[in-house]
């Protein structure tokens, strides 16, 4: 486990006047790089050759490091290069999708913006649920085995898979039938059955509020809200019910993009209290709590109950809808504020106040 004194030692050798912001080239990297540039940082992109076109067409990257695979981030030579460039890494969805939690907490000797200890709480579904429950949030019920299913549930394979391989069932029989169908279609494997998480399906609309927990300002800011555009579930409504029955569709939730949302104003106070209490609980579990961006994945039902089914304690790609400005970032900061820039601003203020050690882990 990399400790804060390891990171302090690395930072001690950094030229802080040349601090650079780096991340893996995917997910929310454009958001992060644009924010870094606007706050006056140099940027470093660790990128696959096939994706480099994007980081060349948008003029946001000062230093491009081409890798075959994102796991190269674990190699000492690459880490040494990043440290020489005075890089602070900004973790996003691809870090947890392509590297394991252990690799991130034990083998990445480059300062990261965020709280490494919280990665464990986030990666483990049971611990994550415990965290959210203790923070007083409303969660969908969960079921230990398929044989306990007594209502509509959503079956999820662990890991940030963008909803690929998720399916719905309302009884043990329908679970096994659909599971087999998913295996036949190559979306799941036979041995996945024991790893599937069974969660009550909350019937309502998806709402993903994004927050920024500022250690420097000691505040949890409410910055943006989005929803997802998912294939095939968002396409099913386009075909009539009779055709749906004929082709026996199983909805899947592969993420393709996001939409911004402006919420009914009376929903905001509760969402703000939820953000505050999630951070407060995190501070007890792993001090100093959440550092920087986090997002609650919620469903709001027609009686306006807010169910939270997941937390991401890092920037989510849904904040890309706010590149430039989101209405809520505007209310707080005026024009030109968004998650990528908010991250860079926090790092800049921490540096000015000699408090970098408090926001980097
Ligand atoms: P990618 O590099 O596009 O494969 O994304 C890395 C991880 O982030 C994958 O697990 C994706 O499912 C997830 N991801 C990418 N884009 C989004 C998005 N717009 N919303 C939610 N999750 C995303
Ligand atoms: P996830 O990968 O956990 O973010 O979930 C992908 C999608 O599945 C979400 O965007 C929702 O559309 C749906 N979903 C996940 N969990 C639930 C739930 N408990 N109730 C209703 N819909 C859900």
């Amino acid at each position: 486990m990399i400790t804060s004194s390891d990171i302090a030692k690395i930072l001690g050798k950094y030229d802080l006047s040349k601090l650079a912001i780096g991340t893996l080239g995917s997910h929310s990297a454009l958001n992060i790089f644009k924010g870094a540039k606007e706050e006056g940082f140099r940027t470093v992109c660790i990128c696959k050759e096939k994706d480099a076109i994007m980081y060349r067409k948008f003029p946001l990257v000062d230093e491009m490091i081409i890798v075959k695979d994102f796991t190269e981030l674990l190699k000492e030579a690459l880490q040494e290069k990043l440290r020489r460039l005075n890089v602070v890494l900004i973790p996003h969805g691809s870090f947890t999708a392509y590297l394991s939690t252990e690799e991130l907490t034990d083998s990445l000797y480059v300062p990261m913006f965020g709280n490494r200890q919280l990665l464990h709480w986030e990666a483990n579904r049971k611990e994550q649920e415990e965290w959210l429950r203790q923070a007083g949030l409303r969660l969908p019920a969960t079921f230990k085995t398929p044989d306990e299913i007594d209502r509509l549930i959503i079956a999820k394979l662990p890991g940030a898979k963008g909803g690929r391989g998720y399916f719905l069932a309302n009884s043990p029989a329908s679970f096994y039938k659909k599971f087999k169908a998913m295996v036949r279609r190559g979306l799941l494997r036979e041995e996945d059955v024991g790893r599937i998480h069974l969660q009550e399906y909350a019937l309502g609309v998806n709402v993903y509020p994004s927050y920024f927990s500022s250690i420097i300002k000691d505040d949890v800011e409410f910055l943006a809200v989005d929803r997802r555009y998912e294939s095939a579930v968002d396409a099913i409504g386009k075909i009539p019910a009779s055709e749906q029955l004929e082709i026996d569709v199983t909805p899947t939730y592969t993420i393709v993009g996001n939409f911004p949302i402006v919420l009914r104003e009376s929903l905001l106070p509760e969402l703000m209290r939820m953000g505050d209490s999630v951070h407060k609980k995190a501070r007890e579990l792993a001090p100093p709590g959440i550092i920087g961006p986090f997002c609650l994945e919620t469903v709001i039902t027609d009686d306006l109950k807010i169910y939270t089914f997941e937390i991401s304690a890092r920037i989510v790609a849904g904040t890309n809808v706010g590149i430039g400005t989101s209405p809520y970032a505007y209310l707080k900061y005026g024009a030109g504020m968004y998650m990528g820039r908010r991250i860079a601003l926090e790092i800049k203020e921490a540096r000015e106040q000699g408090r970098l050690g408090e926001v980097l882990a």
Side-chain angles (χ1 to χ4, degrees):
M1 171 72 80
I2 297 168
T3 63
S4 48
S5 74
D6 294 328
I7 296 299
K9 248 181 244 153
I10 297 169
L11 276 176
K13 292 188 195 144
Y14 268 30
D15 179 348
L16 296 184
S17 68
K18 294 197 177 124
L19 210 56
I21 285 185
T23 197
L24 297 175
S26 68
H27 191 266
S28 46
L30 293 171
N31 188 349
I32 292 166
F33 291 141
K34 181 66 180 170
K37 295 302 288 176
E38 291 204 282
E39 292 301 327
F41 288 100
R42 284 182 61 76
T43 54
V44 178
C45 180
I46 302 134
C47 185
K48 295 181 197 158
E49 183 59 53
K50 69 176 177 58
D51 301 324
I53 177 174
M54 176 171 55
Y55 301 102
R56 292 194 178 112
K57 289 212 184 243
F58 295 116
L60 301 173
V61 174
D62 295 308
E63 189 92 29
M64 188 98 83
I65 301 176
I66 301 291
V67 292
K68 283 216 171 60
D69 194 279
F70 285 149
T71 53
E72 279 182 46
L73 191 54
L74 300 170
K75 294 205 173 125
E76 173 52 25
L78 181 52
Q79 294 184 13
E80 172 58 28
K81 185 164 184 181
L82 294 173
R83 291 192 296 264
R84 253 189 287 120
L85 291 166
N86 306 292
V87 165
V88 167
L89 286 174
I90 313 297
H92 56 54
S94 297
F95 282 68
T96 40
Y98 302 116
L99 303 169
S100 72
T101 311
E102 286 68 30
E103 287 168 340
L104 291 172
T105 54
D106 301 348
S107 313
L108 190 52
Y109 282 88
V110 180
M112 244 168 60
F113 180 69
N115 183 343
R116 280 187 213 229
Q117 314 307 317
L118 271 182
L119 280 172
H120 284 293
W121 286 85
E122 192 197 322
N124 180 311
R125 267 199 202 274
K126 273 218 178 65
E127 295 191 351
Q128 187 184 115
E129 271 186 32
E130 205 46 45
W131 169 13
L132 298 176
R133 258 186 234 289
Q134 286 183 23
L137 272 50
R138 181 183 286 109
L139 273 66
T142 56
F143 299 86
K144 283 201 189 71
T145 73
D147 302 308
E148 288 174 13
I149 296 171
D150 64 357
R151 66 192 87 171
L152 189 62
I153 61 102
I154 178 161
K156 303 178 173 185
L157 197 65
K161 293 269 188 287
R164 200 174 147 82
Y166 287 11
F167 62 95
L168 304 182
N170 61 7
S171 66
S174 85
F175 172 89
Y176 289 113
K177 181 170 163 238
K178 291 195 173 158
F179 176 74
K180 282 193 186 112
M182 297 298 273
V183 172
R184 264 200 311 278
R185 291 173 57 194
L187 291 168
L188 291 174
R189 289 168 307 166
E190 205 64 66
E191 58 270 29
D192 287 330
V193 72
R195 300 167 55 223
I196 290 178
H197 185 68
L198 308 168
Q199 200 171 63
E200 173 184 13
Y201 189 82
L203 189 64
V205 294
N206 285 123
V207 171
Y208 294 78
S210 275
Y211 307 80
F212 187 89
S213 166
S214 171
I215 299 297
I216 299 302
K217 292 197 166 70
D218 191 21
D219 191 19
V220 175
E221 300 169 5
F222 186 86
L223 287 190
V225 190
D226 75 283
R227 57 162 285 214
R228 294 174 172 186
Y229 197 33
E230 292 162 332
S231 203
V233 71
D234 286 318
I236 287 171
K238 290 186 188 168
I239 49 175
S242 54
E243 317 283 332
Q244 290 180 27
L245 290 174
E246 253 170 46
I247 60 173
D248 190 22
V249 280
T250 309
T252 49
Y253 300 85
T254 302
I255 184 80
V256 175
N258 306 75
F259 303 99
I261 306 185
V262 177
L263 287 175
R264 187 168 167 173
E265 197 165 298
S266 52
L267 285 165
L268 298 183
E270 186 178 348
L271 287 169
M272 288 176 171
R273 278 191 288 271
M274 287 163 61
D276 283 353
S277 58
V278 163
H279 171 57
K280 191 160 161 248
K281 192 73 220 172
R283 205 157 48 198
E284 289 169 29
L285 298 173
I290 304 174
I291 299 171
F294 68 101
C295 175
L296 296 176
E297 306 189 0
T298 77
V299 169
I300 305 187
T301 59
D302 60 358
D303 52 358
L304 297 179
K305 287 206 173 78
I306 304 174
Y307 286 87
T308 304
F309 55 87
E310 213 167 308
I311 182 170
S312 297
R314 52 158 172 85
I315 185 170
V316 294
T319 63
N320 295 345
V321 302
I323 295 175
T325 293
S326 91
Y328 300 109
Y330 180 80
L331 291 171
K332 173 109 183 137
Y333 285 101
M337 185 52 72
Y338 48 93
M339 198 57 88
R341 185 166 185 183
R342 186 64 191 86
I343 292 169
L345 178 64
E346 183 85 350
I347 295 172
K348 193 163 104 178
E349 292 187 342
R351 177 175 63 183
E352 282 162 5
Q353 297 177 26
R355 298 173 64 188
L356 272 177
E358 292 176 50
V359 299
L360 303 181

